[in-house]
Amino acid sequence: MPVLELSNVSHRYADGTPWAKTALRDIDLVVNEGDGVLIHGLNGSGKSTLAWILAGLTMPTTGTCLLDGKPVSDQVGAVALSFQAARLQLMRSHVHREIASAAGFSARDRARVVAALATVGLEPALADRRIDQLSGGQMRRVVLAGLLARSPRAVVLDEPLAGLDAASARGLLRLLEELRRGGLTIVVISHDFAGLEELCPRTLHLHDGALVPLASGATS
């Protein structure tokens, strides 16, 4: 069952000016319920622009991006976006306040905060921790906790393993794999393939703003 459908999506920054720059061109993409999709591309390929369009935060210059058959830009929040730099997404001083703010409930609702933390494998005691006391891996999990507490239709992860040590990366991948097995639709935007095969059985390659066939046998 299609969740996200992109048809003939192109995007130009500063369109109509002498500084116009094409970021995406003629993207056709269907993401089905429960999919794990890796969109692979190097720096400057248009990956982050595509992530923001999938989340409804940027409207394509041409074409359509639909969530459940309706424009995703009219349903902001239904597709959760985890930024490449997790720290930039954490706006509150403490973990419990961050999760409550992201999810849209009261920070005094301890049970919901604890339940959100449990979803991403974090202990209840972490609720009172200051954001600046967290490790990089914990920051990514706290971001995910807030996003998942809103029960999104899909999650888009922009470079989810960036800056993590090997152990933290493995732990986050195991968590994401478990969430996808539970039915969560996941799109990963990354310059790398390493370790993502289980989470994302389907890989697409973005080059110079266009989706192109992946070279046979390419794994890294």
Side-chain angles (χ1 to χ4, degrees):
M1 173 181 172
V3 175
L4 284 160
E5 298 175 86
L6 279 70
S7 179
N8 198 35
V9 164
S10 296
H11 190 72
R12 284 170 65 81
Y13 289 104
D15 194 34
T17 77
W19 303 276
K21 175 178 171 55
T22 298
L24 296 173
R25 64 190 83 231
D26 305 324
I27 301 290
D28 292 312
L29 172 65
V30 175
V31 180
N32 291 311
E33 188 101 42
D35 259 359
V37 180
L38 169 62
I39 298 175
H40 169 267
L42 302 179
N43 289 341
S45 61
K47 301 192 307 297
S48 292
T49 300
L50 182 56
W52 282 64
I53 286 174
L54 286 167
L57 300 175
T58 295
M59 291 185 66
T61 306
T62 60
T64 58
C65 180
L66 304 180
L67 172 67
D68 297 323
K70 299 175 182 177
V72 68
S73 56
D74 293 341
Q75 307 173 70
V76 172
V79 176
L81 174 61
S82 175
F83 297 174
Q84 178 175 343
R87 184 65 186 90
L88 297 180
Q89 201 161 354
L90 297 164
M91 307 301 290
R92 301 292 183 266
S93 59
H94 289 76
V95 169
H96 67 285
R97 291 177 180 163
E98 178 61 41
I99 290 174
S101 175
F105 58 77
S106 170
R108 293 186 295 275
D109 193 337
R110 189 76 177 189
R112 292 184 73 177
V113 170
V114 168
L117 287 169
T119 301
V120 296
L122 293 176
E123 295 295 323
L126 209 73
D128 296 317
R129 190 83 59 85
R130 288 187 61 85
I131 293 296
D132 287 333
Q133 294 176 315
L134 303 179
S135 68
Q138 288 171 330
M139 285 185 186
R140 290 197 185 276
R141 288 183 184 235
V142 168
V143 168
L144 272 176
L147 296 176
L148 294 174
R150 296 181 68 96
S151 301
R153 290 288 286 128
V155 175
V156 178
L157 305 160
D158 190 356
E159 300 287 3
L161 306 183
L164 299 185
D165 61 37
S168 296
R170 283 195 301 271
L172 183 60
L173 281 173
R174 283 196 298 269
L175 167 67
L176 292 170
E177 289 161 10
E178 184 177 329
L179 291 169
R180 194 176 76 81
R181 284 193 294 270
L184 183 64
T185 302
I186 294 178
V187 178
V188 173
I189 310 283
S190 180
H191 71 282
D192 202 358
F193 295 88
L196 293 166
E197 301 83 2
E198 184 76 20
L199 176 62
C200 299
R202 183 175 161 213
T203 298
L204 305 170
H205 186 63
L206 191 63
H207 177 73
D208 196 24
L211 285 178
V212 298
L214 193 65
S216 178
T219 58
S220 61

